[in-house]
Amino acid sequence: MAVRTIRSERANATRRRILETAERLFAEHGVTAVSNRQISEAAGQGNNTAVGYHFGTKVDLVRAIVRRHNEDIERRRLDMVARAAGSDDPRDWVACLVHPVAEHLAESGSPTWFARFGAQVMTDPSLRPIMYEETLSSPSLLRTLDELQRCLPDLPVEVRFERGDMTRQLIVHMLAERERALAELTTTPRSDWCDAATGLVDAIVGLWSAPCTTGRRTETTDESEG
């Protein structure tokens, strides 16, 4: 039993080192630019097939990294959703989108890599579905999105989709930009992750409450068609 326990602990420690190393390398260089061999070597594994042995394909490794972080984010969001229950204020539900991720990053130490890793994955067409599948399987996120839609102004369906895309881009890339600035020890507009999340919530609420212009063409378009 003791031997089995030691082996299990060693295997878990190896998996953790591989996950942490892969996340850092993917964040810095992009997923497709980093090979399993490079990850194994950087993780201090003498066997260059260690990544495949422990995780399978690179897609499986990416999914494991996402799940490793999403467990804590889900727990934090569930708490926020419970506190926001019954609210008709869109700000409360936008906060449920942003703050759990920011809090997770704040408590993950310094530097962190997950925000930049997420940005790399979201810009890769072959890997983006993994992020969608993993995040949209979150009960708290689905509840948040439903409640947010309920509280929003009456907007055309296509505008809702468009602003949903804008919201996702803002969250993914603004968190990644702050994480990059912190890693490079450069000045950031906000003093901490909580303050940065509040500023992001302000911007997204403003985005959703902005007027919608429909049925109008620009003068440039009119002139070019003439």
Side-chain angles (χ1 to χ4, degrees), residues 89-102:
D89 187 347
R91 180 177 298 275
D92 290 333
W93 299 107
V94 173
C96 289
L97 292 177
V98 178
H99 276 278
V101 185

Side-chain angles (χ1 to χ4, degrees), residues 6 11 56 66:
I6 292 171
V66 174

Side-chain angles (χ1 to χ4, degrees), residues 27-40:
E28 291 179 331
H29 306 292
V31 180
T32 57
V34 178
S35 68
N36 285 358
R37 181 188 182 95
Q38 289 172 311
I39 296 168
S40 294

